[in-house]
PDB file of all heavy atoms in Angstrom:
ATOM      1  N   SER A 827     -52.430 -22.690  -2.374  1.00 85.00           N
ATOM      2  CA  SER A 827     -51.047 -22.710  -2.852  1.00 85.00           C
ATOM      3  C   SER A 827     -50.208 -23.643  -1.967  1.00 85.00           C
ATOM      4  O   SER A 827     -50.621 -24.043  -0.879  1.00 85.00           O
ATOM      5  CB  SER A 827     -50.452 -21.300  -2.836  1.00 85.00           C
ATOM      6  OG  SER A 827     -50.481 -20.791  -1.514  1.00 85.00           O
ATOM      7  N   HIS A 828     -49.011 -23.962  -2.460  1.00 87.00           N
ATOM      8  CA  HIS A 828     -48.133 -24.900  -1.767  1.00 87.00           C
ATOM      9  C   HIS A 828     -47.058 -24.128  -0.991  1.00 87.00           C
ATOM     10  O   HIS A 828     -46.513 -23.144  -1.492  1.00 87.00           O
ATOM     11  CB  HIS A 828     -47.460 -25.849  -2.768  1.00 87.00           C
ATOM     12  CG  HIS A 828     -48.430 -26.770  -3.442  1.00 87.00           C
ATOM     13  ND1 HIS A 828     -48.781 -27.993  -2.920  1.00 87.00           N
ATOM     14  CD2 HIS A 828     -49.148 -26.640  -4.597  1.00 87.00           C
ATOM     15  CE1 HIS A 828     -49.662 -28.590  -3.721  1.00 87.00           C
ATOM     16  NE2 HIS A 828     -49.894 -27.770  -4.741  1.00 87.00           N
ATOM     17  N   LEU A 829     -46.763 -24.624   0.192  1.00 90.00           N
ATOM     18  CA  LEU A 829     -45.716 -24.044   1.040  1.00 90.00           C
ATOM     19  C   LEU A 829     -44.746 -25.165   1.424  1.00 90.00           C
ATOM     20  O   LEU A 829     -45.179 -26.245   1.861  1.00 90.00           O
ATOM     21  CB  LEU A 829     -46.332 -23.424   2.295  1.00 90.00           C
ATOM     22  CG  LEU A 829     -45.380 -22.692   3.252  1.00 90.00           C
ATOM     23  CD1 LEU A 829     -44.811 -21.463   2.581  1.00 90.00           C
ATOM     24  CD2 LEU A 829     -46.113 -22.300   4.538  1.00 90.00           C
ATOM     25  N   ARG A 830     -43.463 -24.913   1.237  1.00 91.00           N
ATOM     26  CA  ARG A 830     -42.449 -25.948   1.515  1.00 91.00           C
ATOM     27  C   ARG A 830     -41.396 -25.388   2.470  1.00 91.00           C
ATOM     28  O   ARG A 830     -40.857 -24.304   2.247  1.00 91.00           O
ATOM     29  CB  ARG A 830     -41.777 -26.398   0.213  1.00 91.00           C
ATOM     30  CG  ARG A 830     -40.717 -27.487   0.402  1.00 91.00           C
ATOM     31  CD  ARG A 830     -40.220 -27.970  -0.962  1.00 91.00           C
ATOM     32  NE  ARG A 830     -39.235 -29.038  -0.821  1.00 91.00           N
ATOM     33  CZ  ARG A 830     -37.922 -28.834  -0.753  1.00 91.00           C
ATOM     34  NH1 ARG A 830     -37.426 -27.613  -0.830  1.00 91.00           N
ATOM     35  NH2 ARG A 830     -37.095 -29.866  -0.612  1.00 91.00           N
ATOM     36  N   ILE A 831     -41.118 -26.143   3.538  1.00 92.00           N
ATOM     37  CA  ILE A 831     -40.084 -25.787   4.516  1.00 92.00           C
ATOM     38  C   ILE A 831     -39.065 -26.921   4.538  1.00 92.00           C
ATOM     39  O   ILE A 831     -39.428 -28.088   4.758  1.00 92.00           O
ATOM     40  CB  ILE A 831     -40.687 -25.579   5.920  1.00 92.00           C
ATOM     41  CG1 ILE A 831     -41.749 -24.471   5.890  1.00 92.00           C
ATOM     42  CG2 ILE A 831     -39.602 -25.234   6.927  1.00 92.00           C
ATOM     43  CD1 ILE A 831     -42.455 -24.268   7.212  1.00 92.00           C
ATOM     44  N   SER A 832     -37.799 -26.581   4.285  1.00 92.00           N
ATOM     45  CA  SER A 832     -36.757 -27.610   4.201  1.00 92.00           C
ATOM     46  C   SER A 832     -35.528 -27.158   4.975  1.00 92.00           C
ATOM     47  O   SER A 832     -35.342 -25.968   5.232  1.00 92.00           O
ATOM     48  CB  SER A 832     -36.385 -27.885   2.745  1.00 92.00           C
ATOM     49  OG  SER A 832     -35.841 -26.724   2.141  1.00 92.00           O
ATOM     50  N   ALA A 833     -34.695 -28.137   5.340  1.00 92.00           N
ATOM     51  CA  ALA A 833     -33.440 -27.865   6.050  1.00 92.00           C
ATOM     52  C   ALA A 833     -32.391 -28.847   5.554  1.00 92.00           C
ATOM     53  O   ALA A 833     -32.692 -30.011   5.274  1.00 92.00           O
ATOM     54  CB  ALA A 833     -33.622 -27.992   7.561  1.00 92.00           C
ATOM     55  N   GLU A 834     -31.170 -28.367   5.417  1.00 91.00           N
ATOM     56  CA  GLU A 834     -30.055 -29.212   4.980  1.00 91.00           C
ATOM     57  C   GLU A 834     -28.747 -28.577   5.426  1.00 91.00           C
ATOM     58  O   GLU A 834     -28.689 -27.389   5.740  1.00 91.00           O
ATOM     59  CB  GLU A 834     -30.070 -29.393   3.467  1.00 91.00           C
ATOM     60  CG  GLU A 834     -29.862 -28.088   2.701  1.00 91.00           C
ATOM     61  CD  GLU A 834     -29.802 -28.304   1.197  1.00 91.00           C
ATOM     62  OE1 GLU A 834     -29.664 -29.468   0.788  1.00 91.00           O
ATOM     63  OE2 GLU A 834     -29.889 -27.317   0.464  1.00 91.00           O
ATOM     64  N   LEU A 835     -27.698 -29.419   5.419  1.00 90.00           N
ATOM     65  CA  LEU A 835     -26.379 -28.921   5.766  1.00 90.00           C
ATOM     66  C   LEU A 835     -25.713 -28.295   4.549  1.00 90.00           C
ATOM     67  O   LEU A 835     -25.821 -28.826   3.439  1.00 90.00           O
ATOM     68  CB  LEU A 835     -25.506 -30.058   6.311  1.00 90.00           C
ATOM     69  CG  LEU A 835     -25.863 -30.588   7.704  1.00 90.00           C
ATOM     70  CD1 LEU A 835     -24.992 -31.790   8.040  1.00 90.00           C
ATOM     71  CD2 LEU A 835     -25.695 -29.507   8.764  1.00 90.00           C
ATOM     72  N   ALA A 836     -25.037 -27.175   4.770  1.00 87.00           N
ATOM     73  CA  ALA A 836     -24.238 -26.560   3.702  1.00 87.00           C
ATOM     74  C   ALA A 836     -22.979 -27.398   3.494  1.00 87.00           C
ATOM     75  O   ALA A 836     -22.699 -28.328   4.259  1.00 87.00           O
ATOM     76  CB  ALA A 836     -23.884 -25.124   4.085  1.00 87.00           C
ATOM     77  N   PRO A 837     -22.204 -27.120   2.420  1.00 84.00           N
ATOM     78  CA  PRO A 837     -20.929 -27.838   2.254  1.00 84.00           C
ATOM     79  C   PRO A 837     -20.071 -27.772   3.516  1.00 84.00           C
ATOM     80  O   PRO A 837     -20.119 -26.805   4.280  1.00 84.00           O
ATOM     81  CB  PRO A 837     -20.279 -27.107   1.076  1.00 84.00           C
ATOM     82  CG  PRO A 837     -21.434 -26.578   0.284  1.00 84.00           C
ATOM     83  CD  PRO A 837     -22.488 -26.225   1.290  1.00 84.00           C
ATOM     84  N   ALA A 838     -19.264 -28.825   3.705  1.00 74.00           N
ATOM     85  CA  ALA A 838     -18.509 -28.970   4.957  1.00 74.00           C
ATOM     86  C   ALA A 838     -17.622 -27.769   5.244  1.00 74.00           C
ATOM     87  O   ALA A 838     -17.413 -27.393   6.399  1.00 74.00           O
ATOM     88  CB  ALA A 838     -17.681 -30.249   4.902  1.00 74.00           C
ATOM     89  N   SER A 839     -17.079 -27.153   4.186  1.00 72.00           N
ATOM     90  CA  SER A 839     -16.168 -26.028   4.406  1.00 72.00           C
ATOM     91  C   SER A 839     -16.865 -24.800   4.979  1.00 72.00           C
ATOM     92  O   SER A 839     -16.228 -23.943   5.583  1.00 72.00           O
ATOM     93  CB  SER A 839     -15.490 -25.648   3.082  1.00 72.00           C
ATOM     94  OG  SER A 839     -16.460 -25.264   2.119  1.00 72.00           O
ATOM     95  N   GLU A 840     -18.219 -24.697   4.802  1.00 78.00           N
ATOM     96  CA  GLU A 840     -18.944 -23.516   5.269  1.00 78.00           C
ATOM     97  C   GLU A 840     -19.418 -23.645   6.709  1.00 78.00           C
ATOM     98  O   GLU A 840     -19.729 -22.643   7.353  1.00 78.00           O
ATOM     99  CB  GLU A 840     -20.133 -23.237   4.346  1.00 78.00           C
ATOM    100  CG  GLU A 840     -19.734 -22.984   2.905  1.00 78.00           C
ATOM    101  CD  GLU A 840     -20.936 -22.690   2.031  1.00 78.00           C
ATOM    102  OE1 GLU A 840     -22.028 -22.441   2.587  1.00 78.00           O
ATOM    103  OE2 GLU A 840     -20.790 -22.720   0.786  1.00 78.00           O
ATOM    104  N   GLN A 841     -19.525 -24.872   7.241  1.00 84.00           N
ATOM    105  CA  GLN A 841     -19.938 -25.091   8.629  1.00 84.00           C
ATOM    106  C   GLN A 841     -21.226 -24.334   8.944  1.00 84.00           C
ATOM    107  O   GLN A 841     -21.283 -23.478   9.843  1.00 84.00           O
ATOM    108  CB  GLN A 841     -18.823 -24.659   9.586  1.00 84.00           C
ATOM    109  CG  GLN A 841     -17.603 -25.574   9.584  1.00 84.00           C
ATOM    110  CD  GLN A 841     -17.914 -26.933  10.184  1.00 84.00           C
ATOM    111  OE1 GLN A 841     -18.346 -27.044  11.312  1.00 84.00           O
ATOM    112  NE2 GLN A 841     -17.703 -27.974   9.389  1.00 84.00           N
ATOM    113  N   ALA A 842     -22.298 -24.640   8.178  1.00 88.00           N
ATOM    114  CA  ALA A 842     -23.562 -23.927   8.363  1.00 88.00           C
ATOM    115  C   ALA A 842     -24.716 -24.845   8.014  1.00 88.00           C
ATOM    116  O   ALA A 842     -24.556 -25.886   7.351  1.00 88.00           O
ATOM    117  CB  ALA A 842     -23.606 -22.666   7.495  1.00 88.00           C
ATOM    118  N   LEU A 843     -25.914 -24.459   8.489  1.00 90.00           N
ATOM    119  CA  LEU A 843     -27.158 -25.162   8.156  1.00 90.00           C
ATOM    120  C   LEU A 843     -28.054 -24.210   7.377  1.00 90.00           C
ATOM    121  O   LEU A 843     -28.186 -23.032   7.747  1.00 90.00           O
ATOM    122  CB  LEU A 843     -27.853 -25.646   9.429  1.00 90.00           C
ATOM    123  CG  LEU A 843     -29.145 -26.458   9.217  1.00 90.00           C
ATOM    124  CD1 LEU A 843     -29.192 -27.643  10.168  1.00 90.00           C
ATOM    125  CD2 LEU A 843     -30.387 -25.579   9.431  1.00 90.00           C
ATOM    126  N   LEU A 844     -28.676 -24.712   6.323  1.00 92.00           N
ATOM    127  CA  LEU A 844     -29.539 -23.906   5.461  1.00 92.00           C
ATOM    128  C   LEU A 844     -30.995 -24.259   5.742  1.00 92.00           C
ATOM    129  O   LEU A 844     -31.391 -25.429   5.657  1.00 92.00           O
ATOM    130  CB  LEU A 844     -29.206 -24.143   3.991  1.00 92.00           C
ATOM    131  CG  LEU A 844     -27.759 -23.866   3.565  1.00 92.00           C
ATOM    132  CD1 LEU A 844     -27.576 -24.163   2.089  1.00 92.00           C
ATOM    133  CD2 LEU A 844     -27.377 -22.432   3.872  1.00 92.00           C
ATOM    134  N   LEU A 845     -31.796 -23.262   6.046  1.00 92.00           N
ATOM    135  CA  LEU A 845     -33.225 -23.425   6.309  1.00 92.00           C
ATOM    136  C   LEU A 845     -33.975 -22.600   5.272  1.00 92.00           C
ATOM    137  O   LEU A 845     -33.746 -21.391   5.150  1.00 92.00           O
ATOM    138  CB  LEU A 845     -33.547 -22.956   7.732  1.00 92.00           C
ATOM    139  CG  LEU A 845     -34.963 -23.208   8.251  1.00 92.00           C
ATOM    140  CD1 LEU A 845     -35.269 -24.696   8.292  1.00 92.00           C
ATOM    141  CD2 LEU A 845     -35.121 -22.604   9.643  1.00 92.00           C
ATOM    142  N   ARG A 846     -34.890 -23.261   4.520  1.00 92.00           N
ATOM    143  CA  ARG A 846     -35.585 -22.591   3.419  1.00 92.00           C
ATOM    144  C   ARG A 846     -37.088 -22.585   3.655  1.00 92.00           C
ATOM    145  O   ARG A 846     -37.659 -23.590   4.102  1.00 92.00           O
ATOM    146  CB  ARG A 846     -35.279 -23.276   2.079  1.00 92.00           C
ATOM    147  CG  ARG A 846     -33.837 -23.129   1.619  1.00 92.00           C
ATOM    148  CD  ARG A 846     -33.662 -23.760   0.245  1.00 92.00           C
ATOM    149  NE  ARG A 846     -32.334 -23.502  -0.303  1.00 92.00           N
ATOM    150  CZ  ARG A 846     -31.281 -24.267  -0.108  1.00 92.00           C
ATOM    151  NH1 ARG A 846     -31.405 -25.365   0.645  1.00 92.00           N
ATOM    152  NH2 ARG A 846     -30.112 -23.963  -0.634  1.00 92.00           N
ATOM    153  N   VAL A 847     -37.721 -21.447   3.313  1.00 93.00           N
ATOM    154  CA  VAL A 847     -39.173 -21.308   3.308  1.00 93.00           C
ATOM    155  C   VAL A 847     -39.567 -20.863   1.907  1.00 93.00           C
ATOM    156  O   VAL A 847     -39.237 -19.744   1.488  1.00 93.00           O
ATOM    157  CB  VAL A 847     -39.653 -20.291   4.365  1.00 93.00           C
ATOM    158  CG1 VAL A 847     -41.157 -20.133   4.304  1.00 93.00           C
ATOM    159  CG2 VAL A 847     -39.215 -20.710   5.755  1.00 93.00           C
ATOM    160  N   ALA A 848     -40.252 -21.748   1.139  1.00 92.00           N
ATOM    161  CA  ALA A 848     -40.547 -21.486  -0.276  1.00 92.00           C
ATOM    162  C   ALA A 848     -42.038 -21.628  -0.530  1.00 92.00           C
ATOM    163  O   ALA A 848     -42.754 -22.350   0.179  1.00 92.00           O
ATOM    164  CB  ALA A 848     -39.759 -22.449  -1.166  1.00 92.00           C
ATOM    165  N   ASP A 849     -42.511 -20.908  -1.546  1.00 91.00           N
ATOM    166  CA  ASP A 849     -43.914 -21.010  -1.968  1.00 91.00           C
ATOM    167  C   ASP A 849     -43.956 -21.020  -3.475  1.00 91.00           C
ATOM    168  O   ASP A 849     -42.933 -20.860  -4.160  1.00 91.00           O
ATOM    169  CB  ASP A 849     -44.729 -19.847  -1.388  1.00 91.00           C
ATOM    170  CG  ASP A 849     -44.217 -18.485  -1.840  1.00 91.00           C
ATOM    171  OD1 ASP A 849     -44.153 -18.255  -3.064  1.00 91.00           O
ATOM    172  OD2 ASP A 849     -43.860 -17.651  -0.972  1.00 91.00           O
ATOM    173  N   ASN A 850     -45.150 -21.205  -4.032  1.00 88.00           N
ATOM    174  CA  ASN A 850     -45.325 -21.198  -5.492  1.00 88.00           C
ATOM    175  C   ASN A 850     -46.191 -20.031  -5.938  1.00 88.00           C
ATOM    176  O   ASN A 850     -46.947 -20.131  -6.897  1.00 88.00           O
ATOM    177  CB  ASN A 850     -45.923 -22.523  -5.964  1.00 88.00           C
ATOM    178  CG  ASN A 850     -47.318 -22.761  -5.384  1.00 88.00           C
ATOM    179  OD1 ASN A 850     -47.713 -22.092  -4.422  1.00 88.00           O
ATOM    180  ND2 ASN A 850     -48.061 -23.703  -5.942  1.00 88.00           N
ATOM    181  N   GLY A 851     -46.060 -18.878  -5.208  1.00 86.00           N
ATOM    182  CA  GLY A 851     -46.836 -17.690  -5.519  1.00 86.00           C
ATOM    183  C   GLY A 851     -46.210 -16.864  -6.625  1.00 86.00           C
ATOM    184  O   GLY A 851     -45.405 -17.353  -7.433  1.00 86.00           O
ATOM    185  N   PRO A 852     -46.522 -15.557  -6.660  1.00 85.00           N
ATOM    186  CA  PRO A 852     -46.013 -14.691  -7.742  1.00 85.00           C
ATOM    187  C   PRO A 852     -44.517 -14.397  -7.643  1.00 85.00           C
ATOM    188  O   PRO A 852     -43.928 -13.894  -8.593  1.00 85.00           O
ATOM    189  CB  PRO A 852     -46.833 -13.409  -7.577  1.00 85.00           C
ATOM    190  CG  PRO A 852     -47.246 -13.412  -6.134  1.00 85.00           C
ATOM    191  CD  PRO A 852     -47.448 -14.843  -5.757  1.00 85.00           C
ATOM    192  N   GLY A 853     -43.903 -14.667  -6.505  1.00 86.00           N
ATOM    193  CA  GLY A 853     -42.461 -14.419  -6.374  1.00 86.00           C
ATOM    194  C   GLY A 853     -42.151 -13.006  -5.911  1.00 86.00           C
ATOM    195  O   GLY A 853     -43.045 -12.195  -5.641  1.00 86.00           O
ATOM    196  N   LEU A 854     -40.875 -12.714  -5.842  1.00 87.00           N
ATOM    197  CA  LEU A 854     -40.395 -11.402  -5.393  1.00 87.00           C
ATOM    198  C   LEU A 854     -40.245 -10.455  -6.581  1.00 87.00           C
ATOM    199  O   LEU A 854     -39.982 -10.908  -7.706  1.00 87.00           O
ATOM    200  CB  LEU A 854     -39.043 -11.550  -4.679  1.00 87.00           C
ATOM    201  CG  LEU A 854     -39.003 -12.529  -3.506  1.00 87.00           C
ATOM    202  CD1 LEU A 854     -37.577 -12.621  -2.947  1.00 87.00           C
ATOM    203  CD2 LEU A 854     -39.963 -12.112  -2.413  1.00 87.00           C
ATOM    204  N   PRO A 855     -40.396  -9.147  -6.360  1.00 85.00           N
ATOM    205  CA  PRO A 855     -40.172  -8.191  -7.464  1.00 85.00           C
ATOM    206  C   PRO A 855     -38.748  -8.311  -7.991  1.00 85.00           C
ATOM    207  O   PRO A 855     -37.796  -8.211  -7.218  1.00 85.00           O
ATOM    208  CB  PRO A 855     -40.415  -6.826  -6.810  1.00 85.00           C
ATOM    209  CG  PRO A 855     -41.229  -7.118  -5.594  1.00 85.00           C
ATOM    210  CD  PRO A 855     -40.811  -8.472  -5.121  1.00 85.00           C
ATOM    211  N   PRO A 856     -38.560  -8.556  -9.276  1.00 85.00           N
ATOM    212  CA  PRO A 856     -37.193  -8.712  -9.814  1.00 85.00           C
ATOM    213  C   PRO A 856     -36.344  -7.473  -9.559  1.00 85.00           C
ATOM    214  O   PRO A 856     -36.785  -6.344  -9.750  1.00 85.00           O
ATOM    215  CB  PRO A 856     -37.433  -8.928 -11.314  1.00 85.00           C
ATOM    216  CG  PRO A 856     -38.846  -9.403 -11.420  1.00 85.00           C
ATOM    217  CD  PRO A 856     -39.594  -8.729 -10.307  1.00 85.00           C
ATOM    218  N   GLY A 857     -35.130  -7.709  -9.092  1.00 80.00           N
ATOM    219  CA  GLY A 857     -34.201  -6.618  -8.827  1.00 80.00           C
ATOM    220  C   GLY A 857     -34.359  -5.973  -7.466  1.00 80.00           C
ATOM    221  O   GLY A 857     -33.534  -5.149  -7.078  1.00 80.00           O
ATOM    222  N   ARG A 858     -35.409  -6.343  -6.730  1.00 80.00           N
ATOM    223  CA  ARG A 858     -35.643  -5.723  -5.421  1.00 80.00           C
ATOM    224  C   ARG A 858     -35.546  -6.749  -4.291  1.00 80.00           C
ATOM    225  O   ARG A 858     -36.021  -6.510  -3.187  1.00 80.00           O
ATOM    226  CB  ARG A 858     -37.015  -5.058  -5.380  1.00 80.00           C
ATOM    227  CG  ARG A 858     -37.189  -3.888  -6.343  1.00 80.00           C
ATOM    228  CD  ARG A 858     -38.523  -3.202  -6.113  1.00 80.00           C
ATOM    229  NE  ARG A 858     -38.631  -2.717  -4.746  1.00 80.00           N
ATOM    230  CZ  ARG A 858     -39.787  -2.637  -4.082  1.00 80.00           C
ATOM    231  NH1 ARG A 858     -40.909  -3.043  -4.643  1.00 80.00           N
ATOM    232  NH2 ARG A 858     -39.807  -2.179  -2.848  1.00 80.00           N
ATOM    233  N   GLU A 859     -34.911  -7.896  -4.568  1.00 82.00           N
ATOM    234  CA  GLU A 859     -34.833  -8.947  -3.558  1.00 82.00           C
ATOM    235  C   GLU A 859     -34.144  -8.455  -2.282  1.00 82.00           C
ATOM    236  O   GLU A 859     -34.581  -8.776  -1.170  1.00 82.00           O
ATOM    237  CB  GLU A 859     -34.091 -10.164  -4.114  1.00 82.00           C
ATOM    238  CG  GLU A 859     -34.812 -10.894  -5.225  1.00 82.00           C
ATOM    239  CD  GLU A 859     -34.519 -10.306  -6.600  1.00 82.00           C
ATOM    240  OE1 GLU A 859     -33.952  -9.199  -6.633  1.00 82.00           O
ATOM    241  OE2 GLU A 859     -34.857 -10.940  -7.619  1.00 82.00           O
ATOM    242  N   GLU A 860     -33.061  -7.697  -2.431  1.00 84.00           N
ATOM    243  CA  GLU A 860     -32.332  -7.221  -1.257  1.00 84.00           C
ATOM    244  C   GLU A 860     -33.026  -6.029  -0.615  1.00 84.00           C
ATOM    245  O   GLU A 860     -32.998  -5.872   0.605  1.00 84.00           O
ATOM    246  CB  GLU A 860     -30.905  -6.847  -1.656  1.00 84.00           C
ATOM    247  CG  GLU A 860     -29.997  -6.444  -0.509  1.00 84.00           C
ATOM    248  CD  GLU A 860     -29.730  -7.598   0.445  1.00 84.00           C
ATOM    249  OE1 GLU A 860     -29.881  -8.771   0.053  1.00 84.00           O
ATOM    250  OE2 GLU A 860     -29.374  -7.311   1.605  1.00 84.00           O
ATOM    251  N   GLN A 861     -33.676  -5.216  -1.402  1.00 82.00           N
ATOM    252  CA  GLN A 861     -34.328  -4.011  -0.875  1.00 82.00           C
ATOM    253  C   GLN A 861     -35.497  -4.362   0.043  1.00 82.00           C
ATOM    254  O   GLN A 861     -35.852  -3.587   0.927  1.00 82.00           O
ATOM    255  CB  GLN A 861     -34.808  -3.143  -2.042  1.00 82.00           C
ATOM    256  CG  GLN A 861     -35.411  -1.815  -1.620  1.00 82.00           C
ATOM    257  CD  GLN A 861     -35.907  -1.021  -2.821  1.00 82.00           C
ATOM    258  OE1 GLN A 861     -35.667  -1.412  -3.958  1.00 82.00           O
ATOM    259  NE2 GLN A 861     -36.598   0.065  -2.562  1.00 82.00           N
ATOM    260  N   LEU A 862     -36.103  -5.537  -0.136  1.00 83.00           N
ATOM    261  CA  LEU A 862     -37.264  -5.919   0.668  1.00 83.00           C
ATOM    262  C   LEU A 862     -36.911  -6.078   2.146  1.00 83.00           C
ATOM    263  O   LEU A 862     -37.799  -6.055   2.995  1.00 83.00           O
ATOM    264  CB  LEU A 862     -37.858  -7.236   0.142  1.00 83.00           C
ATOM    265  CG  LEU A 862     -38.490  -7.182  -1.256  1.00 83.00           C
ATOM    266  CD1 LEU A 862     -38.980  -8.548  -1.664  1.00 83.00           C
ATOM    267  CD2 LEU A 862     -39.647  -6.180  -1.266  1.00 83.00           C
ATOM    268  N   PHE A 863     -35.633  -6.256   2.468  1.00 84.00           N
ATOM    269  CA  PHE A 863     -35.228  -6.421   3.859  1.00 84.00           C
ATOM    270  C   PHE A 863     -35.021  -5.085   4.565  1.00 84.00           C
ATOM    271  O   PHE A 863     -34.697  -5.067   5.752  1.00 84.00           O
ATOM    272  CB  PHE A 863     -33.942  -7.255   3.942  1.00 84.00           C
ATOM    273  CG  PHE A 863     -34.154  -8.703   3.611  1.00 84.00           C
ATOM    274  CD1 PHE A 863     -34.001  -9.163   2.315  1.00 84.00           C
ATOM    275  CD2 PHE A 863     -34.535  -9.601   4.589  1.00 84.00           C
ATOM    276  CE1 PHE A 863     -34.198 -10.492   2.000  1.00 84.00           C
ATOM    277  CE2 PHE A 863     -34.735 -10.935   4.294  1.00 84.00           C
ATOM    278  CZ  PHE A 863     -34.573 -11.388   2.988  1.00 84.00           C
ATOM    279  N   ALA A 864     -35.180  -3.974   3.846  1.00 80.00           N
ATOM    280  CA  ALA A 864     -35.078  -2.666   4.481  1.00 80.00           C
ATOM    281  C   ALA A 864     -36.357  -2.363   5.252  1.00 80.00           C
ATOM    282  O   ALA A 864     -37.434  -2.895   4.962  1.00 80.00           O
ATOM    283  CB  ALA A 864     -34.823  -1.585   3.435  1.00 80.00           C
ATOM    284  N   LYS A 865     -36.245  -1.506   6.242  1.00 71.00           N
ATOM    285  CA  LYS A 865     -37.422  -1.152   7.042  1.00 71.00           C
ATOM    286  C   LYS A 865     -38.440  -0.391   6.202  1.00 71.00           C
ATOM    287  O   LYS A 865     -38.085   0.444   5.362  1.00 71.00           O
ATOM    288  CB  LYS A 865     -36.982  -0.313   8.245  1.00 71.00           C
ATOM    289  CG  LYS A 865     -36.246  -1.101   9.316  1.00 71.00           C
ATOM    290  CD  LYS A 865     -35.875  -0.253  10.499  1.00 71.00           C
ATOM    291  CE  LYS A 865     -34.811   0.753  10.176  1.00 71.00           C
ATOM    292  NZ  LYS A 865     -34.329   1.471  11.366  1.00 71.00           N
TER     293      LYS A 865
END
Side-chain angles (χ1 to χ4, degrees):
S827 60
H828 294 272
L829 184 66
R830 181 174 182 268
I831 301 176
S832 63
E834 64 177 346
L835 289 175
S839 60
E840 300 181 13
Q841 289 291 303
L843 183 138
L844 303 179
L845 187 61
R846 292 184 173 89
V847 178
D849 60 57
N850 63 344
L854 305 177
R858 296 186 59 211
E859 293 87 347
E860 185 66 22
Q861 184 182 352
L862 293 178
F863 289 92
K865 288 182 291 187

